[in-house]
Amino acid sequence: MRRPAARRRQEPTIALINIVFLMLVFFMIAGTLSPPMDRDISLVETETLEGREPPDALVIDKTGELRHRGVVLTSVAAYLDRPDHRSRGIVRLMPDRDLPAAELLRISAKLRAAGAEKILISTERALR
């Protein structure tokens, strides 16, 4: 009787592909995707700068009081009806950090009801 020819064992290429794929995913997650900042560069610090609102912004303090250019307003309608207001379409709000979110939503709803089409909220952005 003849013995059957011995079959060559194939290399496990699927296992190799899986390992390479897992290594790729690991290095994408663990590695930096952007180059690090140059060590010779110092960023500008703005902690000591005096913050000023944009001239057209409606400022809301933590108690819900409305101000525009330092003048206290009695209502959102007073802001929208002032003579120097160009358009009712876009309103820029600058709420205080400690203003409750419910109060901000209430003021935004009043602005919408008075005719504001788009409300932009200006915030502080920090690099940390």
Side-chain angles (χ1 to χ4, degrees), residues 57-74:
L58 176 63
V59 179
I60 309 168
D61 70 1
K62 63 183 174 184
T63 63
E65 183 179 76
L66 307 173
R67 284 181 288 164
H68 179 259
R69 296 184 180 170
V71 177
V72 176
L73 301 174
T74 57

Side-chain angles (χ1 to χ4, degrees), residues 90-121:
I90 298 176
V91 175
R92 184 178 310 272
L93 294 180
M94 288 196 62
D96 188 273
R97 176 187 318 241
D98 297 326
L99 178 73
E103 182 69 14
L104 179 61
L105 290 174
R106 186 184 65 76
I107 293 170
S108 298
K110 284 184 178 181
L111 284 166
R112 287 273 186 192
E117 296 171 12
K118 188 174 186 180
I119 299 172
L120 304 174
I121 299 176

Side-chain angles (χ1 to χ4, degrees), residues 32-52:
T32 58
L33 298 178
S34 63
M37 190 172 74
D38 191 2
R39 293 186 189 270
D40 296 335
I41 295 178
S42 298
L43 297 177
V44 175
E45 292 184 16
T46 58
E47 289 180 6
T48 58
L49 292 179
E50 178 183 342
R52 293 192 182 164

Side-chain angles (χ1 to χ4, degrees), residues 16-36:
L16 181 63
I17 292 171
N18 288 341
I19 290 171
V20 170
F21 179 72
L22 289 173
M23 288 175 56
L24 175 69
V25 171
F26 172 79
F27 286 114
M28 283 177 55
I29 293 172
T32 58
L33 298 178
S34 63

